Amino acid sequence: MTRIGSCLITVTIAGGAVGLMAAASSRSADTPSTFITKIPAGYRDWKLISVAHEEANLNSFAAVLGNEAAVKAYRDGRLPFPDGAIIASLHYRFVPSEENNKAFGQAQSFVAGDPTNVQFMIKDSKAYASTGGWAFGHFNQDGTVAGEAVMKTCSPCHAKASRDSVFTKYSR
Amino acid sequence: MTRIGSCLITVTIAGGAVGLMAAASSRSADTPSTFITKIPAGYRDWKLISVAHEEANLNSFAAVLGNEAAVKAYRDGRLPFPDGAIIASLHYRFVPSEENNKAFGQAQSFVAGDPTNVQFMIKDSKAYASTGGWAFGHFNQDGTVAGEAVMKTCSPCHAKASRDSVFTKYSR
């Protein structure tokens, strides 16, 4: 896994992240105390929040899932998210599907290729007050946690999101 | 909802579907007895199978979900799918995200826009033997079922999929 990114919307270090880190503004930079270092159990079974695609260097396909607390908050239109809410973003390579294109009779179909990384946000408004009430984590495809250089980019970027540091909107 | 498509990978009537229907080959065309006319309960809570994107006229973003029987079969690598398996494809418009692009500092981000339709496949190898063991359904965004002209395109296209009439592969 060579892809490196900020949390839940992924950016490349070259280019994007420099600007993002400069924009950390009033929020404290992430520190190891706000990093998620263990993958939340059972996340692959969680309910769908929405999907996303990033072009450019990332060329990623994301499925965004939430635990019960996160999905309930989304469905209730509740902001800020309650403590205990966890959002997961599962990233895959964005690849053309030869089989689907053949069925369609033209090149138009893209599917999820190999998994690249999975990212999490965990809400605890007190424990993670310095980073907007969220801890952030980025796990490589082999399950290892990303290095500090990557992890530090999460919170400053998410501070730009207008809905309690969360970019992804719920798709009904 | 003006978008019209075949089931679970969506095609436009103009162009694609004509070719698809001509390719019905050895499989009987769908008949009303193999159409799904009622939306399966609780599908929005089902587990994620994978994601997909169609370019061209469709420009759609899909999240593919499965009921317990379908997801278990995927995870176990079991083919054909067991009777009772249901696969749902939730389609949305594929739209750029201004907010995400602003955070990235460049135009690269696409998200799910308004929902357009939801499609289902239900496995019953005896009841739907004439269409590969699957019933197919396409529901417009307002919950109404698609007309027969659309519904008849599902099975002939899915007959081209190499894994028990299912195009979507499981993303771990």
Side-chain angles (χ1 to χ4, degrees):
Chain A
M1 222 302 294
T2 56
R3 216 164 271 177
I4 290 173
S6 80
C7 293
L8 294 188
I9 64 171
T10 315
V11 300
T12 50
I13 285 295
V18 178
L20 297 174
M21 293 178 73
S25 69
S26 60
R27 183 180 293 189
S28 304
D30 309 53
T31 64
S33 67
T34 63
F35 295 166
I36 301 166
T37 54
K38 200 180 154 197
I39 292 178
Y43 75 89
R44 187 59 185 76
D45 289 342
W46 293 350
K47 289 171 186 161
L48 176 78
I49 295 169
S50 193
V51 293
H53 166 53
E54 301 300 334
E55 284 184 340
N57 291 344
L58 289 171
N59 210 40
S60 73
F61 223 151
V64 183
L65 310 181
N67 71 353
E68 285 297 329
V71 169
K72 187 176 187 316
Y74 267 117
R75 291 178 177 176
D76 293 346
R78 176 181 170 184
L79 283 177
F81 284 87
D83 287 355
I86 311 180
I87 300 171
S89 191
L90 290 62
H91 291 113
Y92 305 92
R93 295 193 189 284
F94 183 79
V95 299
S97 167
E98 294 312 322
E99 181 178 43
N100 294 4
N101 287 341
K102 217 170 179 176
F104 279 119
Q106 62 181 356
Q108 67 168 61
S109 187
F110 294 85
V111 296
D114 289 338
T116 53
N117 64 70
V118 56
Q119 302 176 327
F120 298 94
M121 298 175 65
I122 300 179
K123 186 72 185 274
D124 185 325
S125 51
K126 288 200 185 97
Y128 310 127
S130 67
T131 48
W134 292 96
F136 297 88
H138 174 117
F139 297 87
N140 302 315
Q141 194 265 323
D142 63 2
T144 58
V145 66
E148 194 167 332
V150 172
M151 300 285 263
K152 284 173 75 171
T153 64
C154 301
S155 161
C157 187
H158 277 269
K160 301 180 181 184
S162 53
R163 294 169 302 282
D164 190 21
S165 299
V166 174
F167 286 99
T168 305
K169 296 177 187 171
Y170 183 81
S171 292
R172 65 186 177 84
Chain B
M1 220 304 291
T2 56
R3 216 164 271 178
I4 290 173
S6 82
C7 294
L8 293 188
I9 64 170
T10 315
V11 300
T12 50
I13 285 295
V18 177
L20 297 175
M21 293 179 71
S25 69
S26 61
R27 184 181 292 189
S28 305
D30 309 53
T31 65
S33 68
T34 62
F35 295 166
I36 300 166
T37 54
K38 199 181 155 196
I39 292 178
Y43 76 88
R44 187 57 186 77
D45 290 341
W46 292 350
K47 290 170 186 161
L48 176 78
I49 295 168
S50 194
V51 293
H53 166 53
E54 301 300 333
E55 285 184 341
N57 290 345
L58 289 172
N59 209 41
S60 74
F61 223 151
V64 183
L65 310 181
N67 71 352
E68 285 297 330
V71 168
K72 189 176 186 314
Y74 266 116
R75 291 179 178 174
D76 293 347
R78 176 180 170 185
L79 281 178
F81 285 87
D83 287 356
I86 312 179
I87 300 172
S89 191
L90 290 62
H91 291 112
Y92 306 93
R93 295 193 188 284
F94 184 79
V95 298
S97 167
E98 294 311 320
E99 181 178 45
N100 295 5
N101 288 341
K102 218 170 178 176
F104 278 120
Q106 62 180 356
Q108 69 167 61
S109 188
F110 293 86
V111 297
D114 289 338
T116 53
N117 64 70
V118 56
Q119 302 177 327
F120 298 94
M121 297 174 66
I122 299 178
K123 185 72 185 272
D124 186 326
S125 52
K126 287 200 185 95
Y128 312 126
S130 67
T131 48
W134 293 96
F136 297 87
H138 174 118
F139 296 87
N140 302 314
Q141 193 265 323
D142 63 2
T144 58
V145 66
E148 194 168 331
V150 171
M151 300 285 263
K152 284 173 74 171
T153 65
C154 301
S155 160
C157 186
H158 277 270
K160 301 179 181 184
S162 54
R163 295 168 301 284
D164 189 22
S165 300
V166 174
F167 285 98
T168 304
K169 296 176 188 172
Y170 183 81
S171 293
R172 65 186 175 84

